[in-house]
Amino acid sequence: MEKRLSADHVLEVTSLSKEFSTRDSRFFALEDISFSVSEGEFVCIVGPSGCGKSTLLRIIAGLLKKDSGKVQFERKNFVRPRTSMVFQNQGLFPWKTVLQNVQFGLQMQGIAKKEREGLSIEFLNKIGLSKFIHAYPYTLSGGMRQRVAIARAFISNPEILLMDEPFGMLDAQTRIVMQEELLKLWQERKHTVLYITHDIEEAIFLGDRILVMSGRPGKFIADIEVPFDRPRSRSELLKNDAEIRNHIWDLLKDEVIKDLGESR
């Protein structure tokens, strides 16, 4: 019988490992990963490229099988909770309109058409896309497409929201705006969020905690609480986050240099 999680934990990962094979070799993408996430917590994961961040998120989402270890959820009978995932490339259906994309998750939940359309239009109004409900993704800017993807994820009211570098392909100015919009949505509903990023400043601005990963095979080398109250002011963070930012960079720098050396 599975043991129950700690009282406030909605997710626990224990001793998780994942190995991949190529024609010439086998390698571990993840090795002995353990961590927990509490309800309503916004946890960011940072690490060098290729360290297994996305692999970890896909295993938690149930899109990829682990080789060993446990992924455990605090639910009755340990049933997998409803999760939503936001990808770097948005993952929108190009043949569906904005409205059809946003309501897709509600449709899969069996919500009646009139109700799901009403909820979707209300949400699109909230994020400034009411004029684009009948547009197709290819007609939108990168930031607008990512807003649609985030709306689709939030509107299905997931118990855990998984985000894989959602703003990684956006320009710097658009990324800042999207970070602030994401926080506004999160503050309203306080979903549990696991957020992958390569951007240290983004992790500090968004997260309650930051998990720092080593180079491949990915392991956690630090679990850092972000010491700033919410709601957060970007200008205040820029004045006061140097210590935590430099600490995370010091942890990552050797891993990045090692990774560059191995790739030559």
Side-chain angles (χ1 to χ4, degrees):
M1 185 178 191
E2 293 273 13
K3 71 178 183 68
R4 294 189 66 80
L5 305 189
S6 301
D8 63 341
H9 291 169
V10 294
L11 168 66
E12 279 189 7
V13 175
T14 307
S15 302
L16 186 145
S17 295
K18 177 64 181 177
E19 189 176 16
F20 288 107
S21 299
T22 66
R23 289 179 58 186
D24 305 315
S25 63
R26 297 174 66 85
F27 64 91
F28 276 97
L30 300 169
E31 189 172 38
D32 196 29
I33 291 283
S34 295
F35 69 104
S36 60
V37 180
S38 297
E39 185 174 2
E41 194 173 25
F42 199 127
V43 177
C44 293
I45 300 177
V46 299
S49 296
C51 71
K53 301 186 295 296
S54 295
T55 297
L56 174 60
L57 214 63
R58 288 170 183 269
I59 291 172
I60 293 169
L63 301 176
L64 193 63
K65 289 184 177 180
K66 63 187 184 303
D67 288 325
S68 61
K70 289 182 180 179
V71 177
Q72 187 178 338
F73 300 99
E74 182 54 276
R75 289 276 318 265
K76 186 177 180 181
N77 299 322
F78 301 97
V79 175
R80 175 176 289 277
R82 185 165 63 246
T83 60
S84 288
M85 190 158 180
V86 181
F87 299 94
Q88 186 176 25
N89 64 355
Q90 298 106 33
L92 300 179
F93 301 116
W95 61 89
K96 290 181 181 290
T97 65
V98 166
L99 180 59
Q100 290 168 339
N101 266 286
V102 170
Q103 67 177 320
F104 180 75
L106 298 177
Q107 184 178 354
M108 293 298 98
Q109 292 175 30
I111 305 297
K113 182 178 181 181
K114 186 175 181 179
E115 182 180 355
R116 68 177 186 254
E117 285 190 352
L119 289 169
S120 299
I121 290 170
E122 182 182 339
F123 208 98
L124 287 166
N125 286 337
K126 183 185 297 186
I127 61 172
L129 288 177
S130 59
K131 295 180 180 178
F132 300 91
I133 61 174
H134 300 302
Y136 287 89
Y138 76 91
T139 68
L140 306 178
S141 68
M144 293 167 73
R145 288 195 299 272
Q146 199 57 277
R147 246 186 280 176
V148 175
I150 290 170
R152 183 175 64 184
F154 268 90
I155 202 170
S156 61
N157 200 28
E159 291 163 83
I160 301 178
L161 183 57
L162 306 169
M163 309 189 79
D164 189 4
E165 296 199 55
F167 307 144
M169 297 178 69
L170 304 180
D171 64 79
Q173 292 83 8
T174 304
R175 189 162 64 243
I176 288 171
V177 172
M178 290 301 301
Q179 289 167 4
E180 292 175 347
E181 288 194 1
L182 172 60
L183 272 190
K184 285 179 185 176
L185 291 174
W186 177 80
Q187 297 262 153
E188 287 181 13
R189 300 194 178 194
K190 292 291 177 71
H191 293 292
T192 303
V193 179
L194 200 55
Y195 188 102
I196 302 292
T197 181
H198 63 275
D199 187 323
I200 295 172
E201 288 187 3
E202 179 173 75
I204 295 170
F205 182 62
L206 296 177
D208 296 310
R209 285 164 55 213
I210 300 172
L211 303 177
V212 184
M213 287 185 76
S214 69
R216 197 174 72 199
K219 302 176 183 178
F220 285 132
I221 55 177
D223 183 341
I224 300 168
E225 287 196 23
V226 178
F228 302 112
D229 294 333
R230 297 186 186 275
R232 290 176 183 164
S233 159
R234 189 178 296 276
S235 59
E236 286 300 311
L237 254 63
L238 288 173
K239 293 177 185 176
N240 299 306
D241 71 352
E243 184 176 349
I244 185 172
R245 188 173 67 243
N246 291 337
H247 175 49
I248 294 170
W249 173 239
D250 287 343
L251 290 166
L252 284 174
K253 183 168 67 173
D254 289 343
E255 300 297 327
V256 173
I257 292 171
K258 181 175 70 175
D259 186 59
L260 286 172
E262 289 176 353
S263 65
R264 288 173 182 164

